[in-house]
């Protein structure tokens, strides 16, 4: 398919044109309603229900001016994707129809939600969940060739108020962290300010030609290849990373950016990734709730635009065995008023705050690394975490040499300050300025300090960021509260000295979580075990953290999850995992039996016929080669048949059996790929999919 050329306008006038942003609010709402709505959006003021009718009317007028005929409450169900149910603005009026949209239509919706996973929170007889408008994430327009729809971001709950989605707990966790941060800042006599939690998610993805994709039932059904031998050349020459971007890809990327910019999504960076056919898109960071919604849209736009270019965007964490997988680095930070709390300060007071916040995060990650691990589980990410190209399943923190030094000094400074005159003392020293340089960053760490933010690298490329962010917010809130509890009791006259002791203790207790070395080595796995760090190798092991008593109590305390909600999530995620594995097993078996077997048998038959003909004609040449082909193919076919039987049996059993049988079957098929004639091999090969555009 020829590359689709789209002439992107060179101005950025269209940035945010499909978003009900501040400009649109001011233009379409009466003044008092606009002011109140903006106060809710910008300052977290509670929403005044009295303005709903005005907002609905203005939003509708704006949407009509943008060509919309329908509206939908847009939400993030537990499936990990987005959901929408469209209603027309249409209202019959005598012989005619008018376009109408009420305040009630804006504020609540009642999708028939019985088929969304709820883990037993909703009996089907009371299946209706409801969606509630989230005014802090602006409404936007989604277009298709024949029209447009007004999308209203919403939270999705049961009638009894239980969260059925990913946004509700995220919003609750933001609230919890906001309250805890204010409490901690009060200990430093900071005046009251807004807490802002920010996220910049770097999105990795693969692109392949659609013609290949359509001939791979495994990709179509599971998003990853269940068979396929890595080609001799894949990524070892490292010639793709940051390489010049091919024209067809650049055309695709440019169109993606235009679409995202129209939606007010600040897509900023684009580049080739390490693996062939792998790329990355990174937006500027935003408010975490908005950034989560935007990332969902980024994934959708990537898929849709790819299709228009005859490409398919693969967001699976591990589409190709033996080739780097895809992650989604979650860059997370926290600011208070105008100050980024993860920015090392330039004066002693600011430093004391920075170090306290840092120690809080160290404590949080050490105490709840099991929850961070649980937040990134999934059948897809299991193939990525722990392989030697992604962060390992053991959560640890990287601080970098300089900051690590600071932390070590801080620890000693309090313990034996007179014997270590050089050790840091809070309230006296400023921090040595830390380099923002990217070069010395440790790419192997799952949770790295990168200058003014933490980068959580374990989330998978297909995952909604909400789970990881909700977890991080909550565990940090918990640690901040624990610190504030101690700091509130310190005498004002001796605050800095006592603070130093508190932080020193935190470091002593939690420094086992800090690891600045290479996370991929076997030595680290051993060392981590000695340090007692949890190592949950797969989804099944990692999800158990959700049912842990101390974790349940914490989520409950912060109002992020009730026990019932958490149990239901555990159930939903577990069930989804099992379903995915089973689907993969069934597809693998079907491909092996109905595509691979006939190809291999056909090739065997051809070799046998030629061999027989040669023997009958008394031709001595070539028969040795034919015989060895026949042997290799015949053995392969026998093995294939055995492995298919084994997988069929395993499919009656548990997921471990299915995974093991699939892996054995794959070895046989991948070996056959190297001997069966290329022209009859039914599946596009890695060397084609990854290199041919
Ligand atoms: P990398 O070298 O890892 O690609 P970048 O410096 O390009 O890192 O930034 C990656 C992401 O981090 C971007 O999305 C950027 O907007 C985001 N980021 C930068 N500062 C912050 C912050 N204070 N809070 C959250 N994300 C941030
Ligand atoms: Mg990064």
């Amino acid at each position: 398919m020829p590359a689709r050329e789209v002439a992107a306008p060179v101005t950025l006038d269209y940035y945010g044109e499909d978003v009900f942003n501040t400009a649109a609010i001011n233009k379409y709402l009466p003044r008092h309603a606009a002011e109140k709505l903006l106060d809710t959006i910008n300052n977290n003021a509670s929403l005044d229900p009295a303005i709903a009718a005005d907002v609905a009317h203005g939003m509708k007028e704006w949407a009509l001016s943008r060509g919309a005929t329908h509206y939908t409450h847009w939400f993030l169900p537990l499936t990990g994707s987005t959901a929408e149910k469209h209603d027309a603005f249409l209202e019959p009026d005598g012989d005619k129809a008018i376009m109408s949209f009420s305040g009630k239509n804006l504020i609540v919706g009642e999708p028939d939600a019985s088929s969304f996973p709820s883990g037993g929170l909703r009996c089907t007889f009371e299946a209706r969940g409801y969606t509630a408008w989230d005014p802090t994430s602006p409404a936007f327009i989604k277009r298709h060739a024949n029209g447009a729809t007004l999308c209203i971001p919403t939270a999705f709950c049961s009638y009894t108020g239980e969260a059925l989605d990913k946004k509700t707990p995220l919003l609750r966790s933001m609230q919890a962290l906001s309250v805890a941060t204010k409490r901690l800042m009060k200990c430093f006599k900071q005046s009251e300010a807004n807490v802002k939690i920010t996220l910049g998610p770097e999105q990795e993805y693969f692109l392949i030609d659609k013609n290949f994709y359509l001939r791979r039932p495994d990709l179509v059904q599971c998003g990853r290849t269940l068979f396929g031998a890595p080609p001799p050349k894949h990524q070892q020459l490292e010639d793709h990373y940051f390489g010049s971007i091919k024209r067809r890809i650049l055309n695709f990327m440019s169109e993606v950016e235009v679409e995202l910019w129209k939606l007010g999504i600040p897509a900023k960076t684009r580049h080739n990734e390490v693996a062939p056919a792998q790329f990355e898109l990174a937006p500027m960071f935003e408010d975490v709730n908005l950034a989560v919604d935007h990332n969902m849209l980024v994934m959708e736009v990537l898929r849709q635009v790819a299709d228009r270019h005859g490409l398919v965007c693969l967001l699976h964490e591990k589409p190709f065995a033996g080739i780097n997988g895809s992650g989604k680095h979650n860059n997370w930070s926290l600011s208070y008023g105008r100050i980024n709390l993860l920015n090392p300060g330039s004066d002693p007071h600011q430093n004391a705050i920075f170090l306290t916040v840092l120690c809080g995060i160290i404590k949080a990650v050490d105490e709840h690394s099991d929850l961070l691990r649980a937040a990134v589980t999934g059948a897809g990410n299991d193939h990525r975490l722990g392989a030697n190209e992604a962060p390992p399943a053991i959560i640890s923190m990287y601080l970098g040499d300089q900051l690590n030094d600071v932390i070590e000094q801080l620890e000693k400074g309090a313990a034996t300050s007179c014997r270590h005159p050089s050790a840091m003392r809070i309230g006296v020293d400023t921090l040595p300025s830390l380099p923002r340089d990217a070069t010395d960053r440790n790419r192997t760490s799952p949770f790295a300090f990168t200058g003014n933010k933490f980068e959580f690298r374990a989330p998978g490329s297909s995952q909604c960021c909400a789970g990881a962010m909700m977890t991080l917010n909550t565990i940090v809130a918990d640690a901040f509260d624990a610190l504030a509890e101690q700091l509130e009791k310190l005498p004002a006259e001796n605050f800095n000295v006592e603070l130093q002791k508190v932080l020193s203790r935190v470091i002593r207790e939690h420094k086992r979580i800090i690891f600045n070395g290479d996370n991929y080595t076997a030595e680290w796995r051993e060392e981590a075990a000695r340090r007692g760090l949890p190592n949950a190798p797969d989804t099944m092991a990692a999800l158990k953290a959700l049912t842990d008593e101390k974790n349940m109590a914490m989520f409950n305390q912060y109002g992020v999850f009730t026990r019932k909600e958490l149990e239901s999530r555990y159930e939903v995620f577990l069930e989804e995992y099992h379903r995915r594995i089973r689907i993969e097993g069934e597809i693998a078996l079907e491909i092996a039996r109905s595509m691979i077997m006939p190809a291999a048998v056909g090739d065997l038959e051809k070799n046998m016929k030629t061999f027989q003909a040669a023997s009958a004609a008394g031709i001595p040449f070539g028969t040795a080669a034919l015989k060895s082909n026949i042997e290799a193919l015949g053995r392969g076919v026998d093995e294939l048949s055995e492995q298919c039987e084994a997988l069929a049996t395993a499919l009656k059993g548990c997921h471990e059996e299915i995974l093991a049988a699939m892996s054995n079957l794959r070895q046989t098929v991948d070996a056959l790929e190297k001997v069966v004639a290329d022209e009859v091999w039914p599946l596009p090969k890695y060397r084609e999919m990854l290199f041919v555009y």
Side-chain angles (χ1 to χ4, degrees):
M1 179 153 172
R4 228 176 86 100
E5 310 264 343
V6 175
V10 279
T11 68
L12 278 176
D13 291 352
Y14 59 90
Y15 186 82
E17 71 176 15
D18 278 339
V19 189
F20 195 56
N21 54 20
T22 307
I25 288 171
N26 281 323
K27 184 167 169 198
Y28 284 89
L29 298 195
R31 185 128 167 218
H32 75 281
E35 276 168 7
K36 283 192 168 165
L37 181 57
L38 289 171
D39 198 30
T40 298
I41 294 169
N42 299 326
N43 308 318
N44 298 326
S46 57
L47 182 73
D48 178 359
I51 64 169
D54 280 339
V55 176
H57 179 77
M59 206 185 261
K60 181 199 72 184
E61 291 301 308
W62 169 78
L64 294 179
S65 80
R66 306 292 312 147
T69 51
H70 290 67
Y71 69 92
T72 180
H73 279 198
W74 182 88
F75 58 100
L76 311 178
L78 294 183
T79 55
S81 53
T82 56
E84 40 190 79
K85 175 188 155 213
H86 298 193
D87 280 300
F89 289 123
L90 176 136
E91 181 94 39
D93 184 19
D95 290 343
K96 300 208 180 271
I98 54 164
M99 297 284 210
S100 100
F101 186 53
S102 69
K104 185 173 173 292
N105 291 154
L106 167 66
I107 290 187
V108 284
E110 290 187 29
D112 177 12
S114 50
S115 294
F116 288 108
S118 73
L121 277 182
R122 249 173 323 110
C123 307
T124 4
F125 66 84
E126 47 170 37
R128 278 166 178 270
Y130 71 94
T131 49
W133 179 35
D134 167 19
T136 61
S137 180
F140 57 92
I141 304 279
K142 240 161 86 170
R143 306 185 168 282
H144 54 93
N146 285 329
T149 305
L150 168 68
C151 299
I152 300 156
T154 53
F156 178 42
C157 298
S158 76
Y159 254 114
T160 39
E162 277 129 351
L164 298 173
D165 68 347
K166 302 219 170 197
K167 183 187 277 270
T168 308
L170 174 67
L171 293 173
R172 293 170 178 169
S173 76
M174 290 165 64
Q175 171 77 17
L177 182 53
S178 173
V179 171
T181 305
K182 285 180 182 173
R183 179 177 175 195
L184 188 62
M185 288 305 112
K186 223 170 159 187
C187 301
F188 291 90
K189 310 256 176 313
Q190 297 293 95
S191 50
E192 171 98 14
N194 274 344
V195 175
K196 207 171 156 80
I197 307 160
T198 48
L199 164 65
E202 301 164 56
Q203 177 73 51
E204 291 181 334
Y205 59 93
F206 279 86
L207 286 174
I208 62 166
D209 192 284
K210 194 172 178 186
N211 293 308
F212 294 136
Y213 172 83
L214 292 175
R215 289 169 50 213
R216 298 269 335 196
D218 46 0
L219 280 181
V220 173
Q221 291 264 302
C222 312
R224 77 173 178 109
T225 56
L226 301 175
F227 303 111
K233 172 188 187 286
H234 44 98
Q235 63 190 50
Q236 61 283 63
L237 301 181
E238 296 182 341
D239 50 357
H240 191 254
Y241 192 52
F242 281 15
S244 77
I245 304 172
K246 285 190 179 132
R247 194 180 166 84
R248 183 175 179 193
I249 303 301
L250 211 45
N251 280 330
F252 155 83
M253 288 176 166
S254 305
E255 193 173 333
V256 165
E257 285 162 348
V258 172
E259 298 261 312
L260 294 179
W261 292 341
K262 280 187 193 160
L263 288 167
I265 299 173
K268 176 96 175 145
T269 308
R270 61 190 190 195
H271 61 80
N272 286 358
E273 259 301 329
V274 175
Q278 192 189 29
F279 309 92
E280 180 183 299
L281 180 154
M284 283 281 296
F285 68 94
E286 299 178 283
D287 224 50
V288 62
N289 178 36
L290 184 59
V292 167
D293 284 354
H294 278 174
N295 178 252
M296 298 308 286
L297 288 173
V298 164
M299 291 194 283
E300 189 173 330
V301 168
L302 283 171
R303 283 203 193 94
Q304 284 174 356
V305 174
D307 190 57
R308 287 184 225 146
H309 288 253
L311 297 164
V312 172
C313 175
L314 303 173
L315 290 166
H316 192 283
E317 283 76 16
K318 194 78 179 175
F320 303 100
I323 309 278
N324 266 12
S326 300
K328 176 144 48 198
H329 296 175
N330 280 211
N331 293 272
W332 173 92
S333 189
L334 183 67
S335 54
Y336 189 70
R338 297 155 74 88
I339 295 167
N340 178 351
L341 294 177
L342 286 175
N343 220 344
S346 51
D347 65 80
H349 188 63
Q350 206 50 50
N351 266 338
I353 294 177
F354 167 74
L355 290 171
T356 307
V357 166
L358 184 69
C359 286
I361 298 172
I362 291 170
K363 178 177 162 70
V365 175
D366 183 39
E367 282 175 348
H368 299 289
S369 68
D370 58 338
L371 282 175
L372 286 174
R373 175 68 186 89
V376 298
T377 52
N381 219 16
D382 273 3
H383 295 285
R384 178 177 163 261
L385 297 181
N388 269 3
E389 32 105 352
I394 305 163
I395 303 284
S396 67
M397 288 171 91
Y398 167 81
L399 297 180
D401 290 344
Q402 281 210 21
L403 191 54
N404 201 53
D405 206 46
V406 169
I407 288 293
E408 274 173 7
Q409 285 187 46
L410 186 60
E411 183 193 353
K412 287 183 209 139
T416 49
S417 56
C418 41
R419 274 191 284 132
H420 289 269
S422 64
M424 229 178 111
R425 276 170 303 140
I426 281 180
V428 180
D429 304 271
T430 50
L431 282 177
S433 62
L434 301 168
R436 291 281 160 69
D437 185 4
T439 49
D440 69 340
R441 285 189 202 166
N442 184 340
R443 291 273 156 193
T444 68
S445 173
F447 199 88
F449 181 73
T450 49
N452 59 354
K453 58 185 163 41
F454 272 100
E455 187 170 335
F456 186 28
R457 303 206 180 102
S461 49
S462 72
Q463 294 177 333
C464 172
C465 303
M469 293 295 97
M470 171 278 294
T471 305
L472 192 52
N473 292 343
T474 312
I475 65 176
V476 172
D478 187 46
F480 280 4
D481 265 341
L483 281 179
E485 186 85 41
Q486 298 176 55
L487 302 195
E488 281 158 1
K489 293 187 191 119
L490 301 186
E493 43 325 326
N494 226 0
F495 185 81
N496 283 333
V497 173
E498 295 301 320
L499 170 66
Q500 177 127 9
K501 286 186 192 153
V502 170
L503 297 189
S504 170
R505 202 157 52 231
V506 171
I507 295 168
R508 264 201 310 284
E509 276 170 25
H510 299 291
K511 68 180 175 188
R512 64 167 190 167
I513 197 70
I514 300 168
F515 179 61
N516 291 297
D518 183 349
N519 281 255
Y520 295 169
T521 60
E523 290 80 50
W524 166 236
R525 280 194 292 279
E526 287 157 23
E527 166 69 17
R530 273 195 296 279
R531 293 187 189 185
L533 295 178
N535 178 6
D538 59 20
T539 294
M540 291 294 289
L543 275 180
K544 290 205 180 86
L546 297 188
T547 56
D548 183 277
E549 183 47 44
K550 83 174 195 316
N551 293 334
M552 282 194 152
M554 179 190 61
F555 278 126
N556 200 22
Q557 181 193 338
Y558 286 97
V560 175
F561 287 120
T562 62
R563 275 157 206 275
K564 218 165 125 194
E565 283 173 329
L566 212 48
E567 277 163 9
S568 81
R569 256 155 232 254
Y570 175 69
E571 236 177 79
V572 168
F573 297 150
L574 214 58
E575 198 170 310
E576 174 187 323
Y577 173 76
H578 286 130
R579 280 193 189 144
R580 276 188 199 272
I581 302 288
R582 192 158 295 278
I583 291 170
E584 287 189 351
E586 281 167 10
I587 295 291
L589 184 58
E590 187 186 326
I591 293 174
R593 279 179 172 163
S594 68
M595 295 173 79
I596 309 296
M597 184 65 98
V601 170
D603 202 21
L604 176 62
E605 191 187 355
K606 195 172 160 192
N607 276 279
M608 294 216 286
K609 278 193 179 144
T610 314
F611 177 78
Q612 279 160 1
S615 309
I619 298 170
F621 310 111
T623 45
L626 285 163
K627 219 172 142 184
S628 102
N629 281 356
I630 290 165
E631 245 184 76
L633 286 164
R635 283 226 179 88
V637 166
D638 282 345
E639 234 179 85
L640 184 62
S641 160
E642 274 166 38
Q643 302 296 356
C644 284
E645 285 319 301
L647 178 53
T649 310
L651 277 165
K652 294 181 194 128
C654 69
H655 72 282
E656 279 115 337
E657 290 165 306
I658 300 174
L659 284 170
M662 275 171 65
S663 156
N664 291 339
L665 175 61
R666 179 172 196 148
Q667 277 181 27
T668 303
V669 172
D670 290 359
L672 272 170
E673 183 187 317
K674 306 237 159 180
V675 292
V676 172
D678 187 60
E679 60 175 5
V680 299
W681 190 253
L683 299 171
K685 294 181 176 175
Y686 275 26
R687 64 171 150 75
E688 299 166 306
M689 290 188 285
L690 292 168
F691 292 96
V692 181
Y693 288 108

